[in-house]
């Protein structure tokens, strides 16, 4: 299918989705092959403190080995989380970090707000007292993990089958959050994170998942594309390019 035909197809899908979700349409973010409706390339990342370099990547090699990760003791207070689910979360972190250098500053179990009650895991960028960027992987103690691993897996598959999320497993959900960390982990300051986040937002592509579509955020597209890959899904060229640029640089 030619680029023009693919753009028309993507545009039709975007209109239908935007109307069903009640979203305003931002045509500059609907792309095929990295180009928008006018054939213009998406903005390049600024040559700034956010520049991705081999030096910045190598700097974090000391974080490359994480084995048998122990979850915070607060995780034990989640009554809806089964021991099997807890073990699977730990193994999922192990699985990704066995293949990628992931700089997790801290794994935190805490309640997220009412607006995030349906979010089991979350990447949280924190501003340190010295202005540094601290990267947390949060386990939401307010989330309903459905009592058994079997029921939690059914909940994940329900969203996957509807195309809401690219993840079909706990590891997929964890991979999504770790992708957020890898996208920003070569940035040392919180200000640098804000600048990078603004740049990455413009890398939005439509179609990775309904969740990514609704976000209109390139960062979510990167995370969902990586989750799709970890779950055995096939990536299109635009999705693969995002994963290659922001995630595969951290592959061991």
């Amino acid at each position: 299918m030619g680029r023009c035909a693919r753009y028309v197809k993507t545009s039709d899908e975007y209109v239908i989705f935007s109307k069903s979700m009640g979203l305003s349409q931002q045509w500059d973010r609907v792309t095929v092959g990295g180009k928008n409706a006018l054939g213009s390339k998406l903005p390049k990342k600024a040559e700034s403190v956010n520049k991705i370099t081999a030096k910045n990547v190598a700097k974090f090699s000391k974080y490359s080995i994480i084995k048998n990760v122990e979850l915070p003791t607060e995780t034990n207070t989640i009554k809806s989380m089964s021991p099997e689910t807890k073990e699977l979360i730990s193994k999922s972190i192990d699985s990704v970090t066995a293949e990628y250098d992931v700089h997790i500053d801290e794994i935190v179990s805490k309640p997220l707000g009412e607006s995030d009650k349906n979010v089991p895991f979350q990447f949280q960028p924190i501003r340190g007292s010295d202005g540094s960027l601290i990267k947390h992987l949060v386990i939401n103690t307010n989330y309903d993990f459905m009592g058994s691993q079997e029921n939690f897996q059914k909940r994940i598959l329900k969203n996957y089958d509807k195309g809401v999320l690219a993840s079909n497993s706990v590891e997929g959900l964890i991979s999504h959050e770790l992708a957020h960390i890898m996208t920003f982990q070569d940035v040392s300051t919180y200000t640098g994170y804000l600048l990078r986040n603004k740049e990455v937002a413009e890398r939005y592509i439509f179609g990775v998942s309904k969740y990514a579509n609704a976000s209109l955020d390139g960062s979510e597209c990167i995370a969902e594309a990586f989750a799709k890959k970890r779950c055995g899904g096939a990536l299109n060229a635009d999705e693969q390019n995002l994963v290659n640029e922001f995630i595969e640089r951290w592959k061991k």
Side-chain angles (χ1 to χ4, degrees):
M1 186 183 296
R3 191 179 74 83
C4 183
R6 284 188 290 129
Y7 184 85
V8 171
K9 181 176 184 294
T10 299
S11 298
D12 290 343
E13 292 171 347
Y14 181 65
V15 170
I16 292 170
F17 179 80
S18 296
K19 288 182 177 179
S20 67
M21 298 295 291
L23 299 172
S24 59
Q25 296 170 23
Q26 301 186 44
W27 288 99
D28 58 315
R29 289 189 172 185
V30 179
T31 66
V32 170
K35 294 183 178 181
N36 61 22
L38 300 177
S40 302
K41 283 285 187 180
L42 287 174
K44 295 181 178 179
K45 294 191 299 298
E47 297 293 327
S48 65
V49 294
N50 298 318
K51 184 177 180 180
I52 298 171
T53 66
K55 181 178 180 181
N56 285 340
V57 172
K59 184 170 66 174
F60 293 105
S61 61
K62 66 179 180 178
Y63 296 97
S64 63
I65 301 176
I66 301 177
K67 296 293 184 182
N68 302 317
V69 63
E70 291 188 9
L71 302 183
T73 56
E74 291 82 1
T75 309
N76 297 326
T77 67
I78 306 175
K79 295 180 179 179
S80 65
M81 181 186 289
S82 68
E84 293 78 15
T85 296
K86 181 180 177 181
E87 181 179 6
L88 194 52
I89 293 170
S90 180
K91 287 184 176 180
S92 296
I93 297 172
D94 284 343
S95 177
V96 179
T97 56
E99 297 182 45
Y100 294 84
D101 292 332
V102 187
H103 178 196
I104 307 172
D105 289 312
E106 188 176 358
I107 301 174
V108 180
S109 290
K110 67 178 185 179
L112 296 178
E114 180 66 20
S115 62
D116 290 323
K117 66 179 182 179
N118 291 322
V119 176
F121 314 110
Q122 187 179 82
F123 157 62
Q124 283 192 347
I126 307 295
R127 187 184 188 281
S129 59
D130 59 352
S132 62
L133 174 63
I134 302 171
K135 294 165 289 298
H136 285 180
L137 173 61
V138 176
I139 300 172
N140 184 9
T141 58
N142 277 344
Y143 182 79
D144 182 5
F145 286 91
M146 307 297 290
S148 69
Q149 171 51 33
E150 181 180 4
N151 287 338
F152 183 33
Q153 178 62 22
K154 287 179 180 178
R155 182 172 184 175
I156 295 171
L157 287 176
K158 183 178 180 180
N159 284 322
Y160 173 77
D161 291 339
K162 290 181 177 179
V164 175
L165 297 177
S167 298
N168 59 15
S169 65
V170 171
E171 182 171 330
L173 297 178
I174 291 295
S175 297
H176 175 109
E177 303 307 329
L178 298 188
H180 282 310
I181 291 176
M182 286 187 278
T183 298
F184 299 102
Q185 69 185 11
D186 59 322
V187 176
S188 60
T189 66
Y190 190 77
T191 299
Y193 159 76
L194 294 177
L195 292 172
R196 168 72 63 79
N197 190 45
K198 184 177 180 180
E199 294 168 356
V200 171
E202 297 300 325
R203 304 298 297 275
Y204 171 83
I205 56 175
F206 181 78
V208 186
S209 71
K210 290 181 180 178
Y211 170 75
N213 291 345
S215 74
L216 293 177
D217 187 345
S219 177
E220 296 299 341
C221 295
I222 295 166
E224 281 290 86
F226 182 60
K228 180 189 288 189
K229 178 180 179 179
R230 296 293 296 182
C231 291
L235 304 185
N236 64 34
D238 288 336
E239 294 165 354
Q240 188 63 62
N241 286 340
L242 285 180
V243 171
N244 287 345
E245 180 176 350
F246 292 97
I247 307 301
E248 292 305 312
R249 60 196 172 117
W250 301 106
K251 187 115 185 228
K252 294 179 182 179

